[in-house]
Amino acid sequence: MSDIIPLIVAKYNYWLYIILMMIGLYAMIAKNNLVKKLVGMNIFQTAIILFYVSIGYKTDATIPIIKNAHGGGHGHAAQTIHAADYINPLPHVLMLTAIVVSVATLGVALALAVKVYQRYQTLEEDEIRMRLTENKS
Amino acid sequence: MKFVAFLIVSLCGGLLLYATADLPAWGDPNSPASSHLSPHYIEKALEETDVPNLVTAVLADYRGYDTMFETAVVFCAGLACLLLLRDYSRREGSFYRHIPTGVVIHFKNNAKSMPASREFEHMDKEWVPYDLIMKTVCRILIPFIQLYALYVVAHGDFSPGGGFQGGVIFGSSLILLAISYNLRTVVQRIRERALGFLCALGILIYTGIGVLCMIAGGNFLDYGKLAEIFPVDPGHVRALGMVGVEIGVGITVMAVMVVIYVNIASEGRHDEGL
Amino acid sequence: MTGTVYPALLIIGPLLAAILCSGFSWVEKRACYPVAAAGLLLAAYSAFRVLMEVLASGTIQYRMAGWPPPIGIELRIDLMNALVLMVVACIALVNLFASHRFVSRDLADREGTFYAVYLMFVTGILGVSATGDLFNLYVLLEITSLASYALIAMGDPDRSPLASLNYVFIGVIGASFYLLGVGYIYIMTGSLNMVDVASLLPAIHDSSAILIAFIFCMIGVWIKMALFPLHVWLPNAYTYAPLPVSRVIAPLMTKVMVYVMIRLMLTVFGLDYIFEKLDIAQAVVWLATAAILAGGVMALAQKDIKKMATYIIVSEIGYMVGGAWLGNKTGMTGSILHILNDAVMTFALFLAAGNIAFRLKNVHFSSLEGIFTKMPWTMTGFVLAGFSIIGVPPTCGFFSKWYLVIGGIEAGAYHFVAALIISSLICAVLFFRIFEIGFFSDDSHGHGHGHSAGPEMAEAPISMLIPLGITSLFLIGLGLYSGVIVNRIIHPFLG
Amino acid sequence: MHWQIDLIILTFIIFCAVGAITVRDLLSTAILFGAYSFMMCLLWAVMGAVDVAFTEASVGAGVSTVFFVAAVFRTSRRTKD
């Protein structure tokens, strides 16, 4: 037991992202309302983004913008940059892309939801299914 | 359904928890993710691209191809909303309010409409715009939001921000206008056709810069080669290329955000809405 | 390094055409179709040149933005990519020609936007097949999916938006799982380039994180390709989509996902890892067997050509996944060859269905009576496509099935072989049932009329028949030259 | 990185996420989702991912929420779960 607690503490961000991912995935699968499902979808995607951002984090490092790059005349030619001083920028780049992709998907999905509502006058999946069976019979 | 969902979710959670044990410790500077590729980006980016914001440098240069498709995703979303929701049929009837007396007139026939005059105001059926305070505050605020958006785009090389953020902020300033006044105000200020052109223009700028690099003899998006066409400092040309690209991204994102909003809020009729 | 420009043109051509299309849709709608055709022609020509260059001089690496591979993104085109790219570009082009009449009839007010989204779909799918970077693959996959969500929802106004929305939910779960898998690969190796990752992985094969990365990547890809228990989104989405859309999404989307799976297996994780470290190959082959049988049985229950074809796709996915997981070269050969053949034959089937739907407005079995006399040419193509799916020798479907069966026997997976044979029989039943309805159940009063007026010909327009004709020729051509394809392309690729 | 701040934000995130998917009014769902995004953005800012936080603040907490509100305005606020 004593070695599990440091494990949890050292990686609590990973644990958190797993919890959020589970919440999002559960909402996407189990919820009945289409907008709720979309909220779940976004929570799911944000959880993954949190995971990537956690990958990039480094202790004792600062944000990935080079300090004094153009300040102090031509300082930057002589300045040496240590990788350990700055947070890894690559996951941030990937996640910028992922955020934009998620908002694009959200836009299209909401457009579809509005279209579904125009047709069935409801956002509840079971009610839509009921209308469909009514139409058939 | 709930039980199945619970089962699937627990299974996924369990698998991921199982893998967590082997992940490198959180914030470890020597983890593979921080020691394989990223030192190159951190140590060489300023020298190679002359851009101090590493995220922008990686986003628009090293992984510029990704970013082009990211813009393409946004562009595609805008087109998709137009394709799905745009409704060219006209809604029946319209409401006018006589401003001095507050009397509302309802025209049931579309063919007739109130002649333009200052006394009558075209009114939404569902959405009643907010009061004077709201309008005035937003009116004062919007130019500053837009100025800030432009700053974010232009200053993306040196500080957090860039084309996406700037574009989204600019787009949301127009959305704010739509919410505080009404949708028609926005649609009159910036026509649908103009928005459509702007969507295409932004990504065309991005792709065009890439193609220019190819014409100059480099690979696609190799901004370094632009120095051979344009009279610019070869050491700084990559940064300039990135600014150009970011402007393109900003334009597309701005236009697409407004297109998506307008189409969702008015169900594609572009007449009235939130 | 400035080598060939064709890999870049392959992607940029359709992308630029999409941008121009969306611009032109606001000023001159008639310009959209030629622009789209030009973009796809450029893509097809580039794909052809790329294939030639790969055959002549081996793998092409195109460095985007000029940065060397692990730092920048590269397009990496080897023999398998080149083959898939060629098929994708050709099918997209032929479908554009076949769709023009339909689009200008049914979607006249949004023609330009439709072509633009269609081109974005093609761009995405070409990009997925060309890229050598794991994250780039995700972005392109999302473009493809986003475009297909929009295109699918253009169909039947009653059902298609809902089908598309369900596809959105499941598609996002699939893509996110894939992204999660890539995240685990990234955290363990620090790289995103496929070849670089492959060189770093052997050192950490025993890590549980890599196992989870593999599982999540695979589940993500399986969801996107609709492998049997995860296929629930596919039939509705493809059935209610408009025909010009479903006949390009159905052959391409699923097949390209199979390609992605094989790429992940061969290039990223490596066969050693999959077949020696992990002990799941047997289970996956069983899953594929279930997919083949379930797809076939569900296809039997349908009364509509389009819906039947969607279940046939579910069954065909089982062939390809099973072949790839048999763990021997013959099975893998069959699987890759089947990507090519299945894309062409599904396309031919949907083209024929599209021609029928253009005239009859639906493709329900009950309305097919006497269809052979009404649309003889279309039905010739339909018969060829049917024979190919059943696996009758001169058509291409036979040869890939042959490799799959041999591979199954070599691997000792007799249940898979049995499923393949049963599935062929089921397909035979399916298609002969349609032939029977179309050929023999010519109702008697129609016969009486026949003497006076003659059988009424209502063939589809020529612009829709020519694409079908070309595709049918390809069905036979690919069959006759499958030996060449295997010896020149697939065997050198597998080494 | 201060773990106290972290912990507070993390708790808020979980609450907002659970709240957003359980509350029985779609408008509240949309607003809670905005709050969730904003908390997430704070967390990323604390973790040093300024660009990602900036994007999330403008996209997630801003535009996405507005899209949700617009869609709810066009459809209905009613939900059964």
Side-chain angles (χ1 to χ4, degrees):
Chain A
M1 194 63 198
S2 57
D3 48 328
I4 290 180
I5 291 166
L7 190 74
I8 295 173
V9 172
K11 293 175 182 173
Y12 67 95
N13 260 40
Y14 299 141
W15 288 71
L16 177 81
Y17 111 79
I18 291 171
I19 294 170
L20 282 179
M21 204 207 77
M22 284 164 71
I23 294 174
L25 194 59
Y26 178 78
M28 276 181 88
I29 299 172
K31 287 288 164 182
N32 201 18
N33 187 289
L34 295 174
V35 173
K36 281 274 176 72
K37 282 187 167 210
L38 287 176
V39 171
M41 182 178 101
N42 262 12
I43 291 176
F44 184 36
Q45 285 171 329
T46 349
I48 293 174
I49 296 169
L50 175 63
F51 170 60
Y52 270 80
V53 172
S54 309
I55 299 176
Y57 183 72
K58 266 190 246 178
T59 37
D60 300 330
T62 182
I63 56 170
I65 296 174
I66 306 280
K67 279 179 275 191
N68 310 321
H70 295 294
H74 291 285
H76 75 266
Q79 180 189 357
T80 49
I81 300 157
H82 298 291
D85 293 343
Y86 296 98
I87 293 173
N88 184 359
L90 186 55
H92 299 181
V93 171
L94 305 182
M95 285 313 105
L96 278 183
T97 312
I99 291 177
V100 174
V101 167
S102 78
V103 72
T105 317
L106 176 72
V108 175
L110 282 176
L112 283 169
V114 169
K115 234 174 134 72
V116 169
Y117 185 81
Q118 282 177 350
R119 178 67 190 74
Y120 298 104
Q121 298 302 312
T122 176
L123 288 173
E124 304 287 322
E125 267 202 322
D126 53 349
E127 289 174 13
I128 295 173
R129 224 172 286 133
M130 237 160 59
R131 301 269 159 93
L132 283 176
T133 42
E134 273 169 22
N135 282 1
K136 258 183 202 161
S137 57
Chain B
M1 199 62 198
K2 290 222 157 99
F3 179 71
V4 177
F6 188 72
L7 214 66
I8 295 174
V9 168
S10 334
L11 189 71
C12 288
L15 280 175
L16 292 172
L17 282 183
Y18 166 67
T20 312
D22 265 13
L23 295 185
W26 189 58
D28 177 12
N30 298 317
S31 66
S34 305
S35 59
H36 181 63
L37 275 185
S38 77
H40 178 96
Y41 293 133
I42 295 172
E43 285 164 8
K44 296 281 166 53
L46 184 61
E47 184 187 321
E48 284 175 350
T49 65
D50 209 22
V51 168
N53 184 352
L54 299 171
V55 175
T56 306
V58 180
L59 182 84
D61 195 348
Y62 294 101
R63 298 187 72 86
Y65 182 61
D66 254 2
T67 311
M68 186 180 83
F69 280 109
E70 184 184 352
T71 321
V73 170
V74 175
F75 171 65
C76 192
L79 288 182
C81 273
L82 266 182
L83 189 64
L84 287 175
L85 280 178
R86 187 73 179 100
D87 183 356
Y88 295 96
S89 64
R90 292 201 44 199
R91 182 177 284 210
E92 296 222 334
S94 46
F95 288 84
Y96 289 91
R97 178 166 52 195
H98 186 232
I99 295 169
T101 59
V103 176
V104 176
I105 302 168
H106 181 198
F107 282 88
K108 285 190 176 165
N109 190 346
N110 258 337
K112 286 184 184 164
S113 69
M114 190 60 82
S117 76
R118 217 182 272 168
E119 299 209 326
F120 285 96
E121 175 187 41
H122 191 189
M123 212 175 110
D124 286 357
K125 266 183 284 189
E126 292 154 31
W127 176 250
V128 184
Y130 276 107
D131 55 9
L132 192 65
I133 298 173
M134 201 67 116
K135 278 186 172 178
T136 317
V137 169
C138 290
R139 188 182 205 151
I140 297 169
L141 216 54
I142 285 168
F144 289 101
I145 297 178
Q146 292 177 340
L147 198 63
Y148 178 59
L150 294 180
Y151 162 80
V152 169
V153 175
H155 224 244
D157 290 4
F158 310 103
S159 62
F164 289 108
Q165 294 90 333
V168 171
I169 294 173
F170 204 102
S172 34
S173 77
L174 294 174
I175 294 176
L176 180 64
L177 184 67
I179 293 177
S180 60
Y181 280 67
N182 52 26
L183 201 69
R184 258 191 318 280
T185 320
V186 175
V187 177
Q188 277 162 6
R189 290 259 186 317
I190 177 163
R191 295 272 166 195
E192 191 191 6
R193 179 188 280 197
L195 279 177
F197 276 127
L198 285 177
C199 284
L201 177 70
I203 180 147
L204 189 65
I205 290 175
Y206 204 135
T207 329
I209 288 176
V211 172
L212 270 184
C213 301
M214 277 174 88
I215 292 170
N219 279 358
F220 189 58
L221 290 174
D222 189 353
Y223 311 128
K225 290 287 189 296
L226 287 178
E228 291 169 19
I229 310 184
F230 299 109
V232 285
D233 170 22
H236 197 59
V237 67
R238 282 194 168 267
L240 290 176
M242 276 182 238
V243 173
V245 161
E246 296 269 12
I247 291 171
V249 174
I251 293 173
T252 294
V253 172
M254 184 275 285
V256 168
M257 290 305 146
V258 178
V259 165
I260 294 179
Y261 174 77
V262 168
N263 275 308
I264 289 180
S266 68
E267 287 180 321
R269 291 199 196 84
H270 289 213
D271 53 354
E272 59 185 63
L274 185 60
Chain C
M1 182 201 82
T2 337
T4 166
V5 297
Y6 289 108
L9 280 184
L10 184 65
I11 315 288
I12 303 165
L15 180 63
L16 270 179
I19 298 166
L20 291 179
C21 259
S22 84
F24 275 124
S25 71
W26 300 104
V27 280
E28 179 59 68
K29 284 204 170 126
R30 275 169 300 171
C32 293
Y33 175 65
V35 169
L40 287 179
L41 269 175
L42 180 63
Y45 175 69
S46 314
F48 176 70
R49 290 295 299 261
V50 165
L51 181 63
M52 288 299 123
E53 276 175 44
V54 174
L55 278 175
S57 55
T59 306
I60 298 178
Q61 286 166 302
Y62 187 87
R63 295 171 176 184
M64 281 295 163
W67 298 107
I71 296 167
I73 296 173
E74 65 164 348
L75 297 185
R76 193 183 155 81
I77 301 176
D78 56 21
L79 285 162
M80 181 168 66
N81 288 40
L83 195 66
V84 173
L85 284 171
M86 188 72 214
V87 174
V88 169
C90 289
I91 287 183
L93 181 66
V94 174
N95 183 49
L96 182 77
F97 292 139
S99 308
H100 182 47
R101 279 289 294 269
F102 186 94
V103 173
S104 52
R105 190 186 72 177
D106 284 14
L107 298 168
D109 53 346
R110 49 199 75 190
E111 201 179 336
T113 321
F114 175 85
Y115 285 128
V117 178
Y118 176 78
L119 284 165
M120 291 305 294
F121 173 79
V122 177
T123 311
I125 216 152
L126 285 170
V128 167
S129 335
T131 186
D133 189 278
L134 289 169
F135 188 79
N136 192 231
L137 203 154
Y138 165 76
V139 177
L140 286 156
L141 206 58
E142 283 293 302
I143 290 195
T144 316
S145 316
L146 213 57
S148 57
Y149 303 149
L151 291 173
I152 284 173
M154 293 311 295
D156 180 358
D158 278 357
R159 302 293 298 274
S160 65
L162 190 63
S164 174
L165 197 57
N166 282 331
Y167 181 25
V168 172
F169 292 131
I170 298 188
V172 167
I173 294 181
S176 301
F177 274 12
Y178 173 79
L179 185 61
L180 210 51
V182 172
Y184 275 85
I185 295 177
Y186 178 68
I187 199 172
M188 295 309 288
T189 63
S191 179
L192 288 167
N193 184 280
M194 289 183 187
V195 179
D196 196 34
V197 167
S199 69
L200 291 165
L201 274 182
I204 45 171
H205 263 172
D206 293 324
S207 157
S208 61
I210 292 300
L211 173 69
I212 298 300
F214 180 70
I215 291 176
F216 272 87
C217 282
M218 280 297 144
I219 293 179
V221 173
W222 284 342
I223 289 176
K224 284 267 179 188
M225 76 165 81
L227 186 64
F228 162 58
L230 311 170
H231 73 281
V232 281
W233 58 270
L234 184 137
N236 277 344
Y238 288 1
T239 309
Y240 299 120
L243 261 158
V245 171
S246 57
R247 72 185 168 208
V248 70
I249 295 182
L252 296 187
M253 188 72 191
T254 47
K255 267 85 228 174
V256 167
M257 290 321 293
V258 174
Y259 155 78
V260 171
M261 182 191 76
I262 295 179
R263 169 68 59 197
L264 286 175
M265 287 168 71
L266 287 175
T267 309
V268 180
F269 288 93
L271 293 178
D272 290 347
Y273 178 68
I274 293 166
F275 291 108
E276 283 167 24
K277 284 268 190 270
L278 303 183
D279 204 17
I280 56 172
Q282 284 290 325
V284 178
V285 174
W286 272 106
L287 199 64
T289 311
I292 295 171
L293 294 177
V297 170
M298 284 186 284
L300 274 176
Q302 306 307 322
K303 298 230 175 311
D304 178 305
I305 294 182
K306 234 170 145 186
K307 199 137 194 175
M308 183 192 87
T310 58
Y311 281 105
I312 291 179
I313 292 173
V314 173
S315 164
E316 303 275 342
I317 292 293
Y319 291 14
M320 286 175 272
V321 173
W325 282 82
L326 282 174
N328 56 30
K329 195 175 157 189
T330 325
M332 194 60 97
T333 310
S335 190
I336 296 173
L337 188 63
H338 205 70
I339 292 181
L340 172 72
N341 291 347
D342 192 41
V344 178
M345 63 206 196
T346 320
F347 181 53
L349 184 63
F350 272 91
L351 269 177
N355 287 3
I356 297 170
F358 189 79
R359 281 289 173 238
L360 300 185
K361 303 287 186 289
N362 71 58
V363 284
H364 204 264
F365 285 175
S366 58
S367 54
L368 294 180
E369 288 178 0
I371 189 78
F372 274 88
T373 39
K374 269 191 223 153
M375 310 176 82
W377 295 109
T378 300
M379 288 315 281
T380 314
F382 186 83
V383 168
L384 270 174
F387 278 176
S388 184
I389 290 173
I390 298 166
V392 177
T395 53
C396 61
F398 169 74
F399 294 93
S400 42
K401 237 175 218 184
W402 178 254
Y403 279 104
L404 289 171
V405 167
I406 301 282
I409 293 171
E410 277 176 23
Y414 295 106
H415 49 91
F416 180 64
V417 177
L420 279 176
I421 293 165
I422 294 171
S423 151
S424 296
L425 292 177
I426 291 176
C427 286
V429 172
L430 284 173
F431 282 100
F432 280 100
R433 198 169 53 168
I434 296 175
F435 299 160
E436 194 207 331
I437 295 169
F439 210 63
F440 300 112
S441 62
D442 214 11
D443 40 359
S444 54
H445 62 268
H447 231 70
H449 267 293
H451 285 292
S452 54
E456 195 185 340
M457 283 271 282
E459 192 49 275
I462 194 84
S463 69
M464 298 172 88
L465 276 181
I466 291 176
L468 180 62
I470 295 171
T471 318
S472 311
L473 286 182
F474 261 97
L475 283 175
I476 299 176
L478 283 175
L480 295 179
Y481 286 96
S482 62
V484 179
I485 294 171
V486 168
N487 288 329
R488 289 282 310 276
I489 298 178
I490 299 177
H491 277 167
F493 169 72
L494 293 172
Chain D
M1 173 127 192
H2 308 283
W3 65 269
Q4 293 91 339
I5 303 179
D6 225 28
L7 212 62
I8 294 169
I9 298 176
L10 292 181
T11 331
F12 267 119
I13 287 176
I14 301 270
F15 274 121
C16 289
V18 173
I21 64 165
T22 48
V23 73
R24 284 173 191 263
D25 175 10
L26 288 183
L27 201 59
S28 315
T29 296
I31 302 303
L32 275 170
F33 173 73
Y36 165 84
S37 296
F38 186 70
M39 290 294 155
M40 205 56 148
C41 144
L42 277 185
L43 180 65
W44 292 335
V46 173
M47 282 165 75
V50 275
D51 275 87
V52 184
F54 197 168
T55 318
E56 178 70 12
S58 56
V59 171
V63 174
S64 289
T65 312
V66 175
F67 288 170
F68 269 120
V69 172
V72 170
F73 172 74
R74 266 302 158 201
T75 56
S76 79
R77 282 171 71 166
R78 186 178 64 90
T79 171
K80 287 199 298 198
D81 57 357

